[in-house]
Amino acid sequence: MNQHRSHNSSFQHKQQPCKRWRDYHEQNDRGDSKSSKPNHQQHRSSGPPSPQTLSTSSELYERDFPLYKQPVEVGCFSLDSERRFFNDSRQMRYYVEPEKSPYFNLREGYRDRYVKRDESVKEKLDHILRWILANRPKLTRRSDASSSSRGFDVDFVTWRGHLTKLLTTPYETQEGWLLAVTNFKGTLYVSEVETDTARRDRENRTGRHREMMYWGYKFEQYMCADKMDGYPDSSGRVNTNEAFCTVVQTRLSDHRLLFSGEVDCRDKDPGAPAPPACYVELKTSAEIRTPKQRRNFHRFKLLKWWAQSFLPGVPRVVAGFRDDRGVVVSVETFRISEISRLIKAEDNCWRPTVCMNFCSDFLSFVKRVATQDDPRVVYLLGWNPGCDVTYSVHRDSSYSFLPDWYVKEMS
């Protein structure tokens, strides 16, 4: 979907007064008073690293590209119009090549044919956990003697979107994040916690902003068919509860990952490669009319698009460029493998190697920190632009996110 916000013209982090995450935790935590809470004042990204914090300064991650194995799809699932889970591909849609000069009115249907998902309902990792329980035979069991009573052979379980935030962190200048981590049977589960700033932004969106969020979903309706031999039907309802999600396994450095992410559509050609290489990501963006707009597009929008698609192995993004009235007037395809070449001409631009090295180091940091194997314990990692990543520990708190039904079944 679109990112509707302004950006600084440079990726150099401005040193801002850092928010005290400890204050945030103490105001929101309702857990055991024995919870370990290190000094949670955010540290600026300067000086030697501390074992209790992780720097996000991009220059620290300017090294060789880390090992990243080709992602393998191990399954998928669907969410219907009422957000119910199905262990199948019933919500899969098929990409239909548009005409050379499209005219897609993205405002059409917003007032009377739009069913919006309730964003105040926090689903956490629940859908991925349901997939895991339904597909345990597909997941390799731990074979080492020390882990004989433990779960499956994966280090991290999370959403693709959470990893995307990590990849873009060294270049992010505006939005912080909170990630909750629980170590259960040797696997680290990572779930996002909505920050106060994000909640306020969500609750105070302007009418224009809410409508522009709809535009991305409407574009998908113009570009996708429900059946392989079908055609798009833009007269129906846009229901953002519905989703098709891929589940992939891969390895970043020595971190074995299992994560899921929503997929917009797949290539309808019967001869297309197997998933995830047949998947297509759909995006919308404002028309590019000036060199400055193109520079910002390369530096900000392409960073998010690249990170989101590179992680699960989706090879291309199809973008609809719209005018100020919300009408798509051109469509362009971006190959993920070629985006790094597109940005090379930009001074002080983002680098894929920095993104992946920071993500790898963050996962190593989590492994060092989240050592207590207990579904009731949450390690809360927080970050704000210009600051280090810090953490606090919470037991039986409002941050707990592994549901009892999952813990019982896995035990």
Side-chain angles (χ1 to χ4, degrees), residues 24 26 55 79 89 145 222 258 286 292 313 319 342 354 406:
Y24 179 91
E26 290 176 343
S55 174
L79 304 176
S89 61
Y222 279 113
L258 176 75
K292 181 179 179 181
L342 286 177
V354 169
Y406 181 76

Side-chain angles (χ1 to χ4, degrees), residues 170-375:
Y171 300 108
E172 178 59 54
T173 60
Q174 296 188 25
E175 296 180 357
W177 44 253
L178 284 169
L179 293 175
V181 178
T182 288
N183 186 335
F184 178 51
K185 292 191 173 294
T187 294
L188 294 155
Y189 295 80
V190 183
S191 180
E192 187 173 19
V193 175
E194 186 176 42
T195 65
D196 284 342
T197 299
R199 177 185 53 79
R200 286 193 298 267
D201 289 346
R202 171 173 58 81
E203 293 174 348
N204 296 298
R205 288 172 185 150
T206 64
R208 171 74 170 178
H209 190 170
R210 290 194 295 270
E211 182 175 358
M212 291 176 74
M213 292 178 66
Y214 166 80
W215 291 357
Y217 294 104
K218 185 64 179 181
F219 179 63
E220 295 173 14
Q221 193 181 58
Y222 279 113
M223 301 289 286
C224 299
D226 291 336
K227 297 180 180 180
M228 186 175 290
D229 57 353
Y231 295 93
D233 178 10
S234 62
S235 65
R237 292 193 307 174
V238 170
N239 189 328
T240 61
N241 288 293
E242 299 172 346
F244 168 79
C245 296
T246 181
V247 182
V248 301
Q249 274 191 282
T250 184
R251 183 157 66 94
L252 171 58
S253 300
D254 60 346
H255 310 300
R256 295 161 297 183
L257 310 178
L258 176 75
F259 60 88
S260 179
E262 187 172 347
V263 173
D264 293 329
C265 56
R266 64 157 292 161
D267 193 323
K268 65 186 299 184
D269 184 351
C278 63
Y279 292 148
V280 181
E281 186 72 30
L282 300 176
K283 298 291 186 183
T284 61
S285 189
E287 279 186 289
I288 298 174
R289 300 189 181 95
T290 68
K292 181 179 179 181
Q293 289 174 338
R294 182 165 296 280
R295 183 164 58 251
N296 285 338
F297 174 77
H298 284 166
R299 293 163 63 81
F300 302 108
K301 188 89 44 137
L302 282 187
L303 168 58
K304 299 286 179 68
W305 292 4
W306 171 83
Q308 185 180 20
S309 295
F310 179 79
L311 281 166
V314 175
R316 57 177 166 152
V317 173
V318 176
F321 289 92
R322 53 164 180 80
D323 61 21
D324 292 337
R325 300 170 300 152
V327 175
V328 171
V329 294
S330 66
V331 174
E332 185 176 351
T333 296
F334 295 87
R335 296 280 174 184
I336 299 303
S337 60
E338 298 174 2
I339 285 181
S340 58
R341 178 183 57 81
L342 286 177
I343 64 173
K344 277 186 177 179
E346 302 289 349
D347 292 333
N348 194 32
C349 203
W350 59 276
R351 296 190 59 196
T353 185
V354 169
C355 301
M356 296 299 287
N357 280 321
F358 171 74
C359 185
S360 178
D361 283 17
F362 174 85
L363 298 178
S364 296
F365 179 70
V366 171
K367 283 182 175 179
R368 293 195 301 271
V369 165
T371 56
Q372 188 171 354
D373 196 318
D374 187 335

Side-chain angles (χ1 to χ4, degrees), residues 76-80 82-88 90 126-135 245 247:
C76 64
F77 59 86
S78 296
L79 304 176
D80 71 0
E82 297 178 3
R83 211 65 182 166
R84 292 176 300 190
F85 171 92
F86 293 91
N87 186 35
D88 56 37
R90 67 183 64 191
D126 286 6
H127 297 309
I128 305 175
L129 302 182
R130 290 189 177 93
W131 182 89
I132 289 174
L133 292 183
N135 295 273
C245 296
V247 182

